[in-house]
Amino acid sequence: MLKTLATLGALTLLPTAAPAAGLPDYPFIHVSGVGSTVVMPDLGQIDFEIAAFDADPAAAVGVIAARASEIRAAMEQAGVPLEDVEIRDVRKDFRKQDPAAAPGPVLYDIRAGVRINVRDLSRWRAAATPLLAMPNLDGFMIVFDTSGREKIEMALAGDALRIARRKAEGIAAGLGRKLGAASAVSTGDLKNLTRAMGLAPGEPGSRSPAQRIGTERAELLTVMSLKFAQPVDVIYRLK
């Protein structure tokens, strides 16, 4: 269920001339509302690296290739299409030695990036489980998102606007005035107005990003919910 919070940002009755730059030159009400909701994702992504160290770079590359084959086989068994398994960016570097340790052979650090897109989260556990015990994997990052993002954000914005208007109507009625048309709307703070009236800015409003989580292997199996919030600022004329 969508949940909306609306707060009164400011109420100002002005004469025909504005006393400060950035303020409307007519009587107005300024309100803000925030639509928020929590949804479960239906899309997931796992990013990590295959890493191998060896004095012989060819041997390290062989480990990378073997592990990549194991990953593809595991994903195929989990029902993840192979076109959703991307292995890229093979990089070669030298592994830094510990200055306090005894001198040893120079080790090559060979790494390849892996991205697995899981478009059916009923397969998430089957896809993530084989990675838990697989050696040479490092730097896990998981991302969750929803295919309904645009619909959710539009619904939140509309709900926040409706609640903001009801609040403004209540304020106008309490003053014995009628609410006029909206003269300005912003998905976030109306910054010039907020500064001109000496109000502290609220939390910035923007699209809710896909949730990206750096994680340990043991946390790979957990599917995290997504939090969405869409604020609006509205200026209404007073009749």
Short mmCIF file of all heavy atoms in Angstrom, two decimals, residues 129-161:
data_model
loop_
_atom_site.label_atom_id
_atom_site.label_comp_id
_atom_site.label_asym_id
_atom_site.label_seq_id
_atom_site.Cartn_x
_atom_site.Cartn_y
_atom_site.Cartn_z
N THR A 129 23.60 -19.92 -4.66
CA THR A 129 24.16 -20.96 -3.78
C THR A 129 25.48 -21.54 -4.29
O THR A 129 26.43 -21.69 -3.50
CB THR A 129 23.13 -22.08 -3.56
OG1 THR A 129 21.98 -21.52 -2.90
CG2 THR A 129 23.71 -23.19 -2.70
N PRO A 130 25.62 -21.88 -5.59
CA PRO A 130 26.90 -22.46 -6.03
C PRO A 130 28.09 -21.51 -5.87
O PRO A 130 29.23 -21.97 -5.77
CB PRO A 130 26.65 -22.76 -7.52
CG PRO A 130 25.18 -22.79 -7.68
CD PRO A 130 24.64 -21.83 -6.68
N LEU A 131 27.84 -20.22 -5.82
CA LEU A 131 28.93 -19.25 -5.70
C LEU A 131 29.51 -19.22 -4.29
O LEU A 131 30.64 -18.76 -4.10
CB LEU A 131 28.44 -17.85 -6.08
CG LEU A 131 27.80 -17.71 -7.47
CD1 LEU A 131 27.28 -16.30 -7.67
CD2 LEU A 131 28.79 -18.08 -8.57
N LEU A 132 28.74 -19.69 -3.31
CA LEU A 132 29.18 -19.59 -1.92
C LEU A 132 30.45 -20.39 -1.65
O LEU A 132 31.31 -19.96 -0.89
CB LEU A 132 28.06 -20.07 -0.97
CG LEU A 132 26.75 -19.28 -1.02
CD1 LEU A 132 25.75 -19.88 -0.05
CD2 LEU A 132 26.99 -17.82 -0.69
N ALA A 133 30.55 -21.57 -2.27
CA ALA A 133 31.70 -22.45 -2.00
C ALA A 133 32.75 -22.42 -3.11
O ALA A 133 33.75 -23.12 -3.03
CB ALA A 133 31.20 -23.88 -1.80
N MET A 134 32.52 -21.62 -4.13
CA MET A 134 33.44 -21.60 -5.26
C MET A 134 34.68 -20.77 -4.94
O MET A 134 34.56 -19.62 -4.50
CB MET A 134 32.72 -21.05 -6.50
CG MET A 134 33.39 -21.41 -7.82
SD MET A 134 32.37 -20.90 -9.25
CE MET A 134 31.01 -22.07 -9.13
N PRO A 135 35.88 -21.30 -5.12
CA PRO A 135 37.10 -20.53 -4.82
C PRO A 135 37.38 -19.47 -5.88
O PRO A 135 36.78 -19.47 -6.97
CB PRO A 135 38.20 -21.60 -4.82
CG PRO A 135 37.68 -22.66 -5.74
CD PRO A 135 36.19 -22.67 -5.57
N ASN A 136 38.29 -18.56 -5.55
CA ASN A 136 38.79 -17.53 -6.48
C ASN A 136 37.76 -16.46 -6.82
O ASN A 136 37.94 -15.73 -7.79
CB ASN A 136 39.31 -18.15 -7.78
CG ASN A 136 40.38 -19.19 -7.57
OD1 ASN A 136 40.12 -20.39 -7.72
ND2 ASN A 136 41.57 -18.76 -7.19
N LEU A 137 36.70 -16.34 -6.02
CA LEU A 137 35.70 -15.30 -6.27
C LEU A 137 35.83 -14.22 -5.20
O LEU A 137 36.05 -14.51 -4.03
CB LEU A 137 34.29 -15.88 -6.26
CG LEU A 137 34.02 -17.06 -7.20
CD1 LEU A 137 32.54 -17.42 -7.21
CD2 LEU A 137 34.54 -16.80 -8.60
N ASP A 138 35.67 -12.95 -5.63
CA ASP A 138 35.95 -11.84 -4.72
C ASP A 138 35.09 -10.64 -5.10
O ASP A 138 34.61 -10.53 -6.23
CB ASP A 138 37.44 -11.48 -4.84
CG ASP A 138 37.89 -10.49 -3.79
OD1 ASP A 138 37.23 -10.39 -2.75
OD2 ASP A 138 38.90 -9.79 -4.02
N GLY A 139 34.90 -9.71 -4.14
CA GLY A 139 34.26 -8.42 -4.41
C GLY A 139 32.80 -8.51 -4.81
O GLY A 139 32.37 -7.88 -5.78
N PHE A 140 32.00 -9.25 -4.05
CA PHE A 140 30.59 -9.42 -4.40
C PHE A 140 29.79 -8.13 -4.22
O PHE A 140 29.96 -7.41 -3.24
CB PHE A 140 29.97 -10.54 -3.56
CG PHE A 140 30.33 -11.92 -4.02
CD1 PHE A 140 31.40 -12.59 -3.45
CD2 PHE A 140 29.61 -12.54 -5.02
CE1 PHE A 140 31.75 -13.86 -3.87
CE2 PHE A 140 29.94 -13.82 -5.45
CZ PHE A 140 31.01 -14.48 -4.88
N MET A 141 28.90 -7.88 -5.16
CA MET A 141 27.96 -6.77 -5.08
C MET A 141 26.64 -7.25 -5.67
O MET A 141 26.62 -7.83 -6.77
CB MET A 141 28.47 -5.57 -5.87
CG MET A 141 27.67 -4.31 -5.68
SD MET A 141 28.04 -3.47 -4.14
CE MET A 141 29.71 -2.90 -4.47
N ILE A 142 25.53 -7.06 -4.96
CA ILE A 142 24.23 -7.47 -5.49
C ILE A 142 23.34 -6.25 -5.68
O ILE A 142 23.43 -5.27 -4.94
CB ILE A 142 23.55 -8.51 -4.59
CG1 ILE A 142 23.36 -7.99 -3.17
CG2 ILE A 142 24.33 -9.81 -4.57
CD1 ILE A 142 22.61 -8.97 -2.25
N VAL A 143 22.51 -6.31 -6.69
CA VAL A 143 21.62 -5.21 -7.05
C VAL A 143 20.22 -5.78 -7.24
O VAL A 143 20.06 -6.81 -7.91
CB VAL A 143 22.07 -4.51 -8.35
CG1 VAL A 143 21.15 -3.34 -8.68
CG2 VAL A 143 23.50 -4.03 -8.24
N PHE A 144 19.23 -5.12 -6.65
CA PHE A 144 17.84 -5.51 -6.87
C PHE A 144 17.07 -4.34 -7.47
O PHE A 144 17.35 -3.17 -7.18
CB PHE A 144 17.17 -5.93 -5.55
CG PHE A 144 17.75 -7.18 -4.96
CD1 PHE A 144 18.49 -7.13 -3.79
CD2 PHE A 144 17.58 -8.40 -5.59
CE1 PHE A 144 19.04 -8.28 -3.25
CE2 PHE A 144 18.13 -9.56 -5.05
CZ PHE A 144 18.86 -9.49 -3.88
N ASP A 145 16.10 -4.67 -8.31
CA ASP A 145 15.27 -3.64 -8.93
C ASP A 145 13.92 -4.25 -9.24
O ASP A 145 13.69 -5.44 -9.02
CB ASP A 145 15.96 -3.10 -10.20
CG ASP A 145 15.50 -1.70 -10.56
OD1 ASP A 145 14.55 -1.18 -9.93
OD2 ASP A 145 16.09 -1.10 -11.48
N THR A 146 13.02 -3.41 -9.76
CA THR A 146 11.70 -3.89 -10.12
C THR A 146 11.34 -3.44 -11.53
O THR A 146 11.67 -2.32 -11.94
CB THR A 146 10.62 -3.38 -9.13
OG1 THR A 146 9.32 -3.73 -9.63
CG2 THR A 146 10.69 -1.87 -8.96
N SER A 147 10.69 -4.31 -12.26
CA SER A 147 10.25 -3.97 -13.61
C SER A 147 9.09 -2.97 -13.57
O SER A 147 8.77 -2.35 -14.58
CB SER A 147 9.82 -5.24 -14.35
OG SER A 147 8.80 -5.92 -13.63
N GLY A 148 8.47 -2.79 -12.41
CA GLY A 148 7.36 -1.84 -12.27
C GLY A 148 7.79 -0.49 -11.74
O GLY A 148 6.94 0.28 -11.25
N ARG A 149 9.07 -0.15 -11.85
CA ARG A 149 9.59 1.10 -11.28
C ARG A 149 8.84 2.33 -11.78
O ARG A 149 8.42 3.19 -11.00
CB ARG A 149 11.09 1.23 -11.62
CG ARG A 149 11.68 2.58 -11.29
CD ARG A 149 13.16 2.61 -11.60
NE ARG A 149 13.89 1.73 -10.69
CZ ARG A 149 14.30 2.11 -9.49
NH1 ARG A 149 14.04 3.34 -9.06
NH2 ARG A 149 14.95 1.28 -8.71
N GLU A 150 8.66 2.46 -13.08
CA GLU A 150 8.02 3.66 -13.63
C GLU A 150 6.58 3.80 -13.12
O GLU A 150 6.15 4.90 -12.73
CB GLU A 150 8.04 3.61 -15.15
CG GLU A 150 7.47 4.86 -15.82
CD GLU A 150 7.59 4.84 -17.32
OE1 GLU A 150 8.25 3.91 -17.86
OE2 GLU A 150 7.03 5.75 -17.97
N LYS A 151 5.86 2.70 -13.09
CA LYS A 151 4.47 2.73 -12.61
C LYS A 151 4.42 3.12 -11.13
O LYS A 151 3.56 3.91 -10.71
CB LYS A 151 3.84 1.37 -12.83
CG LYS A 151 2.37 1.29 -12.41
CD LYS A 151 1.81 -0.09 -12.71
CE LYS A 151 0.35 -0.19 -12.25
NZ LYS A 151 -0.21 -1.54 -12.54
N ILE A 152 5.34 2.58 -10.34
CA ILE A 152 5.38 2.90 -8.91
C ILE A 152 5.67 4.37 -8.69
O ILE A 152 5.01 5.05 -7.89
CB ILE A 152 6.44 2.03 -8.20
CG1 ILE A 152 5.99 0.57 -8.18
CG2 ILE A 152 6.69 2.52 -6.77
CD1 ILE A 152 7.08 -0.41 -7.75
N GLU A 153 6.65 4.90 -9.39
CA GLU A 153 7.04 6.30 -9.21
C GLU A 153 5.93 7.25 -9.63
O GLU A 153 5.68 8.27 -8.98
CB GLU A 153 8.32 6.59 -9.97
CG GLU A 153 9.55 5.91 -9.36
CD GLU A 153 10.80 6.06 -10.20
OE1 GLU A 153 10.66 6.42 -11.39
OE2 GLU A 153 11.89 5.81 -9.67
N MET A 154 5.23 6.91 -10.73
CA MET A 154 4.11 7.75 -11.17
C MET A 154 2.97 7.73 -10.14
O MET A 154 2.36 8.76 -9.85
CB MET A 154 3.61 7.28 -12.53
CG MET A 154 4.58 7.55 -13.69
SD MET A 154 3.96 6.95 -15.26
CE MET A 154 2.49 7.95 -15.46
N ALA A 155 2.70 6.55 -9.59
CA ALA A 155 1.64 6.45 -8.58
C ALA A 155 1.99 7.24 -7.33
O ALA A 155 1.13 7.92 -6.75
CB ALA A 155 1.39 4.98 -8.24
N LEU A 156 3.24 7.18 -6.90
CA LEU A 156 3.66 7.91 -5.71
C LEU A 156 3.57 9.42 -5.93
O LEU A 156 3.14 10.16 -5.04
CB LEU A 156 5.09 7.52 -5.32
CG LEU A 156 5.29 6.11 -4.79
CD1 LEU A 156 6.77 5.83 -4.56
CD2 LEU A 156 4.51 5.91 -3.49
N ALA A 157 3.99 9.88 -7.10
CA ALA A 157 3.92 11.33 -7.38
C ALA A 157 2.46 11.80 -7.39
O ALA A 157 2.12 12.84 -6.81
CB ALA A 157 4.59 11.63 -8.72
N GLY A 158 1.58 11.03 -8.03
CA GLY A 158 0.17 11.41 -8.06
C GLY A 158 -0.46 11.40 -6.69
O GLY A 158 -1.24 12.30 -6.34
N ASP A 159 -0.12 10.42 -5.88
CA ASP A 159 -0.68 10.33 -4.54
C ASP A 159 -0.18 11.49 -3.67
O ASP A 159 -0.96 12.10 -2.92
CB ASP A 159 -0.29 9.00 -3.91
CG ASP A 159 -1.18 8.63 -2.74
OD1 ASP A 159 -2.42 8.78 -2.87
OD2 ASP A 159 -0.66 8.23 -1.69
N ALA A 160 1.12 11.82 -3.79
CA ALA A 160 1.67 12.93 -3.02
C ALA A 160 1.01 14.25 -3.41
O ALA A 160 0.72 15.09 -2.56
CB ALA A 160 3.19 13.01 -3.23
N LEU A 161 0.74 14.45 -4.69
CA LEU A 161 0.07 15.67 -5.15
C LEU A 161 -1.35 15.78 -4.61
O LEU A 161 -1.79 16.85 -4.20
CB LEU A 161 0.06 15.71 -6.68
CG LEU A 161 1.38 16.07 -7.36
CD1 LEU A 161 1.30 15.80 -8.86
CD2 LEU A 161 1.73 17.53 -7.10
#
